Amino acid sequence: MPKHVLIWDLPLRIFHWLFACTVIASWYTSDQDNDLIDVHMKLGYFALGLLVFRILWGFVGTKHSRFSAFFPTATRLRLYIEDLKNNQVKSTAGHNPLGSLMVFLMILLISLQAISGLFINDDVFSSGPYYDSVSKELEQFMFFLHHNVFDFMIAAIVMHLLAIAYYVRVKKQLLIIPMITGKKPENLVKITDKIKHSKIFLAVLLVIAITAFIYWLVVVNAPVIEEYYY
Ligand code: HEM
Ligand code: HEM
């Protein structure tokens, strides 16, 4: 059996699986019929925290988690598409250039969804903490985003899953297990691709700081909303 080397750090893997579960749970709890809108809002704050973590980790995380390692530049995309056409794609240690487009798209769409949630209300009893503290036009725009971005998000997630299935089934690339264990077989990656450790201490510090920031954002700094339901 080939030796395995660490590629995906532990904080990134925890982020990925928590993010996937949070997005699915946010969707489930958004249905007014389930009467779980309060849970939905808490999950939304959690998703915001995860997004802030992922964005910071994209600058200070380990090698393959950094945005600079997989930013889809025109040259990277062109070379990769040529290889794909010539059936010459090799397994990459981190995200491949096409996959990284999808990563940025998902992070962008879910950020729009979570941020817009802070400014909307459901015309019954629930409202985001910043509802009523911006202009009516901005509020309507946020409402529009929250009710429409989700369709694009679903499309992006479906494409994400189809792409993974394609690489695993057709291209015979090992992708899912490394997102769980963090490791890829030594014969598929270069020895220089290996990361030494997961930067756990830094990740814990970030999580503490982000928790404090989200608490400040949605509780301490949030304006008191006038209750005028009757
Ligand atoms: C709502 C559901 C999901 C969302 C929003 C989501 C989102 C993401 C994101 C943002 C990344 C990039 C990781 C990073 O660098 O931050 C990623 C990568 C990945 N996801 Fe998901 N994911 C979802 C579900 C799944 C599921 C169910 C699977 C497994 C079947 C999966 C397998 C993977 C794999 C294997 C990668 C790494 C791809 C590569 O090696 O380039 N994801 N996902
Ligand atoms: C990942 C984050 C989030 C996702 C995926 C998400 C998703 C959704 C979806 C799909 C709906 C139903 C929209 C429709 O019926 O067309 C919804 C409604 C709602 N969301 Fe979110 N949301 C997120 C974050 C938030 C946040 C942070 C808040 C507020 C703090 C929030 C507050 C609400 C409210 C109040 C509704 C009901 C709106 C209405 O019925 O008019 N959401 N959300």
Side-chain angles (χ1 to χ4, degrees):
M1 218 173 91
K3 249 180 86 186
H4 283 64
V5 293
L6 189 61
I7 297 293
W8 297 121
D9 57 70
L10 181 66
L12 181 103
R13 285 177 276 144
I14 295 179
F15 157 80
H16 176 266
W17 296 112
L18 279 180
F19 196 50
C21 294
T22 308
V23 169
I24 294 166
S26 301
W27 162 75
Y28 178 76
T29 52
S30 70
D31 190 336
Q32 298 277 1
D33 294 344
N34 293 333
D35 205 16
L36 287 170
I37 208 73
D38 285 347
V39 180
H40 175 77
M41 286 163 60
K42 296 209 169 70
L43 284 166
Y45 302 148
F46 189 64
L48 264 181
L50 287 173
L51 284 160
V52 175
F53 174 83
R54 182 59 187 101
I55 291 166
L56 294 176
W57 203 241
F59 294 99
V60 299
T62 62
K63 190 153 108 188
H64 306 290
S65 301
R66 291 188 181 217
F67 297 137
S68 57
F70 62 88
F71 191 80
T73 60
T75 318
R76 283 180 184 169
L77 278 169
R78 188 174 44 78
L79 292 174
Y80 187 76
I81 292 170
E82 273 170 21
D83 282 351
L84 205 61
K85 277 195 208 146
N86 301 330
N87 222 357
Q88 281 180 339
V89 285
K90 288 177 227 80
S91 166
T92 42
H95 299 306
N96 72 50
L98 275 185
S100 59
L101 266 186
M102 197 46 87
V103 174
F104 282 105
L105 185 68
M106 283 194 289
I107 291 178
L108 175 74
L109 290 175
I110 302 175
S111 298
L112 285 178
Q113 187 75 25
I115 293 171
S116 60
L118 299 177
F119 297 90
I120 68 162
N121 94 334
D122 65 355
D123 287 330
V124 192
F125 296 114
S126 310
S127 50
Y130 290 90
Y131 170 72
D132 229 14
S133 57
V134 289
S135 67
K136 264 276 155 289
E137 290 76 26
L138 186 58
E139 208 176 278
Q140 277 163 1
F141 180 61
M142 292 296 180
F143 188 84
F144 173 81
L145 284 182
H146 209 74
H147 282 258
N148 291 284
V149 166
F150 196 71
D151 294 341
F152 294 95
M153 234 168 87
I154 292 178
I157 292 168
V158 169
M159 277 166 71
H160 172 57
L161 297 180
L162 288 177
I164 304 266
Y166 170 77
Y167 278 100
V168 172
R169 297 299 295 264
V170 182
K171 295 282 169 196
K172 305 284 179 227
Q173 288 190 14
L174 203 63
L175 294 183
I176 301 173
I177 293 171
M179 240 322 144
I180 299 169
T181 62
K183 293 180 176 170
K184 290 194 174 181
E186 211 175 37
N187 56 338
L188 291 183
V189 290
K190 291 190 250 124
I191 195 70
T192 47
D193 288 330
K194 176 183 170 175
I195 57 167
K196 287 199 189 77
H197 53 80
S198 282
K199 293 195 173 180
I200 305 276
F201 184 64
L202 179 61
V204 170
L205 286 183
L206 277 184
V207 168
I208 295 170
I210 292 167
T211 308
F213 168 68
I214 298 289
Y215 183 76
W216 172 84
L217 184 74
V218 303
V219 178
V220 180
N221 189 55
V224 177
I225 292 174
E226 299 285 334
E227 300 276 350
Y228 46 78
Y229 306 107
Y230 48 87

